[in-house]
Amino acid sequence: MNCTVDRLLVFLLSVMVRILGGPFIMGGGPEADEQPRRTVVVSAFSIDADEVTRAEYAACVAARACAAAQGAGATDATSRRPVTGVSWHDADAYCKWAHKRLPTEAEWERAARGTDGRTYPWGETVDCARANFGNYDGEGRCPQNPGHPVDVGSFDAKSELHDLAGNVWEWVADWYDARYYAHAPSINPRGPRHGERR
């Protein structure tokens, strides 16, 4: 396989963390579509340590494998802020271009919550020093955080994985079904086979 300099650059900048397979507690959040809380088993996988940056995504756009991101600053090819203004299809195209894939919802939740089903990657309470909740955490609990995305890894720097809470929303591979948690397989759930939205 031949690689372009841009693609090589993406591989050099992209650090992945290995997540061990096994059981973990999934669901149980405050929303009805996060119920029931139950034990799910996932196989081992690797996930990016940081959110995909605007610079990394811009390399995919330059290679003509991804559509340009939308919004102010979205095309800044030097920015370490997470890319925003991309559709699910854009995120999927980026992952394929980088020879990866989007994580399933179960994989993402396993990476974010550990094996014990904690609410946040670090525990049960909001910690404004560990995540960029900004002024949009739903209850205004972190007014000292900026009200916009910041460079990846700016918060919770002692963890292997950064920004699994706060900063920006994440895409996962699965289709959305409000009742899926109630009837999903308990081993490597991949989401509904089809749906109307991601």
Side-chain angles (χ1 to χ4, degrees):
M1 175 179 83
N2 294 340
C3 295
T4 66
V5 173
D6 289 334
R7 192 170 285 176
L8 181 60
L9 181 63
V10 169
F11 283 121
L12 290 174
L13 293 175
S14 180
V15 175
M16 300 193 82
V17 174
R18 188 76 174 157
I19 305 296
L20 298 177
F24 77 101
I25 299 171
M26 184 172 178
E31 305 298 328
D33 62 356
E34 298 170 348
Q35 301 297 334
R37 179 179 170 100
R38 64 195 187 100
T39 300
V40 171
V41 176
V42 294
S43 298
F45 63 98
S46 295
I47 191 167
D48 289 332
D50 292 306
E51 299 158 316
V52 174
T53 66
R54 293 175 180 177
E56 290 169 328
Y57 189 81
C60 184
V61 173
R64 299 178 187 226
C66 295
Q70 304 299 307
T75 58
D76 183 350
T78 63
S79 178
R80 292 275 308 141
R81 287 189 179 176
V83 67
T84 56
V86 296
S87 70
W88 180 91
H89 294 286
D90 297 333
D92 184 54
Y94 173 84
C95 290
K96 287 177 179 173
W97 173 78
H99 301 283
K100 301 177 187 179
R101 64 175 173 80
L102 285 169
T104 65
E105 183 175 0
E107 289 169 336
W108 190 91
E109 194 165 329
R110 164 59 181 93
R113 299 179 79 174
T115 58
D116 57 1
R118 60 197 113 143
T119 302
Y120 298 99
W122 54 84
E124 291 305 313
T125 58
V126 169
D127 185 340
C128 301
R130 297 189 83 165
N132 178 24
F133 288 114
N135 300 323
Y136 54 87
D137 77 331
E139 298 185 23
R141 293 179 283 191
C142 295
Q144 71 274 31
N145 288 167
H148 56 77
V150 297
D151 287 0
V152 299
S154 294
F155 286 80
D156 206 17
K158 293 181 181 177
S159 299
E160 284 187 288
L161 297 169
H162 307 122
D163 306 314
L164 290 172
N167 220 14
V168 296
W169 289 83
E170 307 284 345
W171 286 114
V172 295
D174 307 27
W175 284 103
Y176 174 75
D177 177 347
R179 297 175 305 279
Y180 186 69
Y181 276 37
H183 59 81
S186 58
I187 299 175
N188 289 322
R190 301 274 176 211
R193 291 187 179 197
H194 25 264
E196 296 181 9
R197 62 189 175 111
R198 301 282 183 175

